[in-house]
Amino acid sequence: MMGTDMKIDKKKATAPLRWQRRLLALGVLAGTLGAQTAAAADDWLTKDWEVSGYLREYLSWNLENPTLIGPDGQQRDDYRYSLSMARTVGKLDLYRDFGNWRMKITGRVSRESPTSYGKDLQEVMDEWAATGGASGSSVNLRDDVYDDEELREFWIQGDVTDTTNLKIGRQQVVWGETDFFQLLDVVHGYDFRWRSFLEPENEELRKPLNMVNITQRFDQLDASLQAIYIPGQLNDHEDRGNSYDVEGGRWANNPNKGITFASAPFGANVRYNYDHPGADMDDDSYGLRWNGLLGDWGYSLGWFHGPNPNPVVNPNPATNPGQPQLQTGPYEGVYQGGATEAGEFIYPYIDVFGVTANNYFAGPDLVFSTELAYIPNAPYNVGIESIAEGPGCGFFPGFCGIREKNLFRSMFRIDKQLDLQSYLGTSRPSFFTVQLFNNWITNFDKEEQLVNLAGFGGATKEFSSIATAVLATNYANDQINPSLAVGSDLTYGGGFVIPAVELAYGDHVRVRFEADVFFHRTDQEKPLQGFNDTNLFGYFSGNDQLLARLTYQF
């Protein structure tokens, strides 16, 4: 318990430091703003701020009974058709144009109302923690996960020269050609804990960062070069990398609802470590992106150095006896978590090299896009079996260590306007897009037993692919807008179907209804046992739901 207590104290001790870093970042930004606007005091007094934003209410209901099993091994209730989310969000945007310089400030506040299903999740979580979980590591879902106040944007942007643009402050930078899965869009992490990957506007899930963003135009080449610099010490650790529901909430991977990884019982708990030498969130990140035109083709070349988008588990060799034989790279022999913990979540720093291209072809009347990314030394957890299930080496599958593999990722997409007025009675042509995502581990070795996600026994294959398609239609002059999104895991099985309709009332009111339905080949039925070859869509088993979203935008 000594190692655990030391880790908790360290986390508490760093909280004031994070606020100091935020204040320092805001001080730097304010100083820059003051220097630039001192000479434009008249503009400040005579030009108005543009105010916009929204008020939004989310309601979701379970369409099937999610697995919620307590320490007694019994399913708690039948939660089919139970209200799973009642979330209220307010967002305010302030924008001002000073002529050569512009400024934007965005804040967002989110609050969740209690539901009976949410109360049962919390109750089961407390029961699991009481059966041997680490002391002081319990989570209150509403206070610690769902409710938040965020400064989403706070930047100033302007032209330093006729061809050089500077944007400094808290912002979002979007790279790549796709909205579904991250290939080159790795500058920011995403918060998938309250809504998973389903939110149609992914900027609502993306985590903003304090950074310096410079773009140099080369007009004679029809190109530009963008350079970004992200100071690690001026950003909160939690703002880096993707955040998944490891707190046991409504989007925890099946069957882990009600179980917090940080307070799992029997010494099997796993916590985040943001200070690991190979994954230190205080380290800086940076990247370059060349964007241009070559004939009819738009293209870009990019490189980014920063945290791996997804966390991996660095196992504790004291509780995972096979770990030292399989660990490779900068993680070998470096474990900093509690002595009795099963491991620690870390975000190793990686390099991502990528190319994008797009073109419009008049003959078939379509737009073709592609995105290619190469990631040398991408981290994977290893170990198909756990000690409990066979001759494994750890508490759970994947807890045998980390292997670094060379990963090549690709995306190919076709966008096309379909004239369906005579078939569906739409008011204008419909938008259709289809995408194919591929992963290729170029130095694959089956004997290494790579897993797709630590804690699940689904073995990673050398080649894997996912196909997605979206059809968006419009009726009544865009007042009624149905859509259908589908996806299929061509390698591991399963997929999703998401029918939706968005209704527009005037300039201010938007109502969206959506059903999220998942299919899977294999899923895991009981927490902390019965490990099998569950993969991506098996994680979403029991999460079929109906969503209603009401927005008043101003």
Side-chain angles (χ1 to χ4, degrees), residues 267-281:
N269 47 305
V270 183
R271 305 196 195 199
Y272 285 99
N273 178 10
Y274 298 110
D275 301 309
H276 190 283
D280 191 343
M281 295 297 102

PDB file of all heavy atoms in Angstrom, residues 267-281:
ATOM      1  N   GLY A 267      -5.851  -6.293  -5.992  1.00  0.00           N
ATOM      2  CA  GLY A 267      -4.555  -5.847  -6.490  1.00  0.00           C
ATOM      3  C   GLY A 267      -4.466  -5.776  -7.993  1.00  0.00           C
ATOM      4  O   GLY A 267      -3.367  -5.686  -8.542  1.00  0.00           O
ATOM      5  N   ALA A 268      -5.614  -5.797  -8.681  1.00  0.00           N
ATOM      6  CA  ALA A 268      -5.601  -5.780 -10.145  1.00  0.00           C
ATOM      7  C   ALA A 268      -5.785  -4.371 -10.696  1.00  0.00           C
ATOM      8  O   ALA A 268      -6.027  -4.197 -11.876  1.00  0.00           O
ATOM      9  CB  ALA A 268      -6.710  -6.696 -10.683  1.00  0.00           C
ATOM     10  N   ASN A 269      -5.671  -3.352  -9.839  1.00  0.00           N
ATOM     11  CA  ASN A 269      -5.946  -1.996 -10.280  1.00  0.00           C
ATOM     12  C   ASN A 269      -4.834  -1.434 -11.167  1.00  0.00           C
ATOM     13  O   ASN A 269      -3.669  -1.809 -11.069  1.00  0.00           O
ATOM     14  CB  ASN A 269      -6.197  -1.073  -9.083  1.00  0.00           C
ATOM     15  CG  ASN A 269      -5.161  -1.230  -7.992  1.00  0.00           C
ATOM     16  OD1 ASN A 269      -4.939  -2.330  -7.503  1.00  0.00           O
ATOM     17  ND2 ASN A 269      -4.528  -0.145  -7.615  1.00  0.00           N
ATOM     18  N   VAL A 270      -5.238  -0.505 -12.045  1.00  0.00           N
ATOM     19  CA  VAL A 270      -4.312   0.120 -13.003  1.00  0.00           C
ATOM     20  C   VAL A 270      -4.606   1.614 -13.015  1.00  0.00           C
ATOM     21  O   VAL A 270      -5.766   2.026 -13.123  1.00  0.00           O
ATOM     22  CB  VAL A 270      -4.507  -0.450 -14.430  1.00  0.00           C
ATOM     23  CG1 VAL A 270      -3.489   0.151 -15.393  1.00  0.00           C
ATOM     24  CG2 VAL A 270      -4.395  -1.968 -14.417  1.00  0.00           C
ATOM     25  N   ARG A 271      -3.563   2.442 -12.920  1.00  0.00           N
ATOM     26  CA  ARG A 271      -3.748   3.884 -12.909  1.00  0.00           C
ATOM     27  C   ARG A 271      -2.939   4.535 -14.019  1.00  0.00           C
ATOM     28  O   ARG A 271      -2.043   3.931 -14.592  1.00  0.00           O
ATOM     29  CB  ARG A 271      -3.316   4.466 -11.572  1.00  0.00           C
ATOM     30  CG  ARG A 271      -3.999   3.838 -10.374  1.00  0.00           C
ATOM     31  CD  ARG A 271      -3.817   4.723  -9.186  1.00  0.00           C
ATOM     32  NE  ARG A 271      -4.148   4.020  -7.955  1.00  0.00           N
ATOM     33  CZ  ARG A 271      -4.418   4.624  -6.825  1.00  0.00           C
ATOM     34  NH1 ARG A 271      -4.423   5.940  -6.782  1.00  0.00           N
ATOM     35  NH2 ARG A 271      -4.698   3.945  -5.741  1.00  0.00           N
ATOM     36  N   TYR A 272      -3.259   5.802 -14.290  1.00  0.00           N
ATOM     37  CA  TYR A 272      -2.487   6.577 -15.251  1.00  0.00           C
ATOM     38  C   TYR A 272      -1.182   7.036 -14.619  1.00  0.00           C
ATOM     39  O   TYR A 272      -1.140   7.450 -13.461  1.00  0.00           O
ATOM     40  CB  TYR A 272      -3.283   7.806 -15.709  1.00  0.00           C
ATOM     41  CG  TYR A 272      -4.387   7.494 -16.680  1.00  0.00           C
ATOM     42  CD1 TYR A 272      -5.707   7.370 -16.245  1.00  0.00           C
ATOM     43  CD2 TYR A 272      -4.113   7.335 -18.038  1.00  0.00           C
ATOM     44  CE1 TYR A 272      -6.728   7.090 -17.135  1.00  0.00           C
ATOM     45  CE2 TYR A 272      -5.133   7.048 -18.929  1.00  0.00           C
ATOM     46  CZ  TYR A 272      -6.434   6.933 -18.478  1.00  0.00           C
ATOM     47  OH  TYR A 272      -7.445   6.653 -19.364  1.00  0.00           O
ATOM     48  N   ASN A 273      -0.121   6.967 -15.406  1.00  0.00           N
ATOM     49  CA  ASN A 273       1.167   7.541 -15.016  1.00  0.00           C
ATOM     50  C   ASN A 273       1.584   8.499 -16.130  1.00  0.00           C
ATOM     51  O   ASN A 273       1.921   8.068 -17.237  1.00  0.00           O
ATOM     52  CB  ASN A 273       2.224   6.451 -14.825  1.00  0.00           C
ATOM     53  CG  ASN A 273       3.583   7.024 -14.457  1.00  0.00           C
ATOM     54  OD1 ASN A 273       3.698   8.215 -14.161  1.00  0.00           O
ATOM     55  ND2 ASN A 273       4.607   6.186 -14.474  1.00  0.00           N
ATOM     56  N   TYR A 274       1.546   9.789 -15.834  1.00  0.00           N
ATOM     57  CA  TYR A 274       1.895  10.804 -16.833  1.00  0.00           C
ATOM     58  C   TYR A 274       3.360  11.227 -16.744  1.00  0.00           C
ATOM     59  O   TYR A 274       3.768  12.163 -17.421  1.00  0.00           O
ATOM     60  CB  TYR A 274       1.002  12.028 -16.654  1.00  0.00           C
ATOM     61  CG  TYR A 274      -0.467  11.754 -16.858  1.00  0.00           C
ATOM     62  CD1 TYR A 274      -1.359  11.767 -15.790  1.00  0.00           C
ATOM     63  CD2 TYR A 274      -0.977  11.492 -18.129  1.00  0.00           C
ATOM     64  CE1 TYR A 274      -2.717  11.528 -15.972  1.00  0.00           C
ATOM     65  CE2 TYR A 274      -2.328  11.238 -18.324  1.00  0.00           C
ATOM     66  CZ  TYR A 274      -3.192  11.261 -17.239  1.00  0.00           C
ATOM     67  OH  TYR A 274      -4.531  11.022 -17.436  1.00  0.00           O
ATOM     68  N   ASP A 275       4.152  10.537 -15.898  1.00  0.00           N
ATOM     69  CA  ASP A 275       5.544  10.937 -15.686  1.00  0.00           C
ATOM     70  C   ASP A 275       6.539   9.858 -16.071  1.00  0.00           C
ATOM     71  O   ASP A 275       7.724   9.963 -15.743  1.00  0.00           O
ATOM     72  CB  ASP A 275       5.748  11.306 -14.206  1.00  0.00           C
ATOM     73  CG  ASP A 275       4.836  12.436 -13.760  1.00  0.00           C
ATOM     74  OD1 ASP A 275       4.811  13.466 -14.451  1.00  0.00           O
ATOM     75  OD2 ASP A 275       4.150  12.285 -12.729  1.00  0.00           O
ATOM     76  N   HIS A 276       6.097   8.817 -16.747  1.00  0.00           N
ATOM     77  CA  HIS A 276       7.008   7.748 -17.167  1.00  0.00           C
ATOM     78  C   HIS A 276       8.073   8.314 -18.111  1.00  0.00           C
ATOM     79  O   HIS A 276       7.768   9.139 -18.984  1.00  0.00           O
ATOM     80  CB  HIS A 276       6.219   6.645 -17.859  1.00  0.00           C
ATOM     81  CG  HIS A 276       7.001   5.403 -18.115  1.00  0.00           C
ATOM     82  ND1 HIS A 276       7.912   5.293 -19.139  1.00  0.00           N
ATOM     83  CD2 HIS A 276       7.011   4.206 -17.468  1.00  0.00           C
ATOM     84  CE1 HIS A 276       8.448   4.087 -19.120  1.00  0.00           C
ATOM     85  NE2 HIS A 276       7.917   3.410 -18.122  1.00  0.00           N
ATOM     86  N   PRO A 277       9.346   7.903 -17.975  1.00  0.00           N
ATOM     87  CA  PRO A 277      10.405   8.468 -18.827  1.00  0.00           C
ATOM     88  C   PRO A 277      10.135   8.353 -20.318  1.00  0.00           C
ATOM     89  O   PRO A 277      10.522   9.241 -21.092  1.00  0.00           O
ATOM     90  CB  PRO A 277      11.644   7.650 -18.425  1.00  0.00           C
ATOM     91  CG  PRO A 277      11.358   7.190 -17.036  1.00  0.00           C
ATOM     92  CD  PRO A 277       9.874   6.970 -16.969  1.00  0.00           C
ATOM     93  N   GLY A 278       9.454   7.283 -20.746  1.00  0.00           N
ATOM     94  CA  GLY A 278       9.145   7.132 -22.163  1.00  0.00           C
ATOM     95  C   GLY A 278       7.805   7.704 -22.557  1.00  0.00           C
ATOM     96  O   GLY A 278       7.407   7.612 -23.722  1.00  0.00           O
ATOM     97  N   ALA A 279       7.099   8.294 -21.578  1.00  0.00           N
ATOM     98  CA  ALA A 279       5.751   8.821 -21.831  1.00  0.00           C
ATOM     99  C   ALA A 279       5.469   9.967 -20.876  1.00  0.00           C
ATOM    100  O   ALA A 279       4.435   9.997 -20.210  1.00  0.00           O
ATOM    101  CB  ALA A 279       4.720   7.707 -21.667  1.00  0.00           C
ATOM    102  N   ASP A 280       6.391  10.923 -20.817  1.00  0.00           N
ATOM    103  CA  ASP A 280       6.295  12.036 -19.876  1.00  0.00           C
ATOM    104  C   ASP A 280       5.491  13.165 -20.520  1.00  0.00           C
ATOM    105  O   ASP A 280       5.923  13.773 -21.506  1.00  0.00           O
ATOM    106  CB  ASP A 280       7.698  12.527 -19.505  1.00  0.00           C
ATOM    107  CG  ASP A 280       7.674  13.504 -18.340  1.00  0.00           C
ATOM    108  OD1 ASP A 280       6.593  14.040 -18.036  1.00  0.00           O
ATOM    109  OD2 ASP A 280       8.742  13.721 -17.737  1.00  0.00           O
ATOM    110  N   MET A 281       4.317  13.451 -19.960  1.00  0.00           N
ATOM    111  CA  MET A 281       3.458  14.469 -20.547  1.00  0.00           C
ATOM    112  C   MET A 281       4.001  15.885 -20.374  1.00  0.00           C
ATOM    113  O   MET A 281       3.457  16.828 -20.957  1.00  0.00           O
ATOM    114  CB  MET A 281       2.054  14.392 -19.935  1.00  0.00           C
ATOM    115  CG  MET A 281       1.310  13.107 -20.242  1.00  0.00           C
ATOM    116  SD  MET A 281       0.961  12.846 -21.998  1.00  0.00           S
ATOM    117  CE  MET A 281       2.240  11.655 -22.392  1.00  0.00           C
TER     118      MET A 281
END
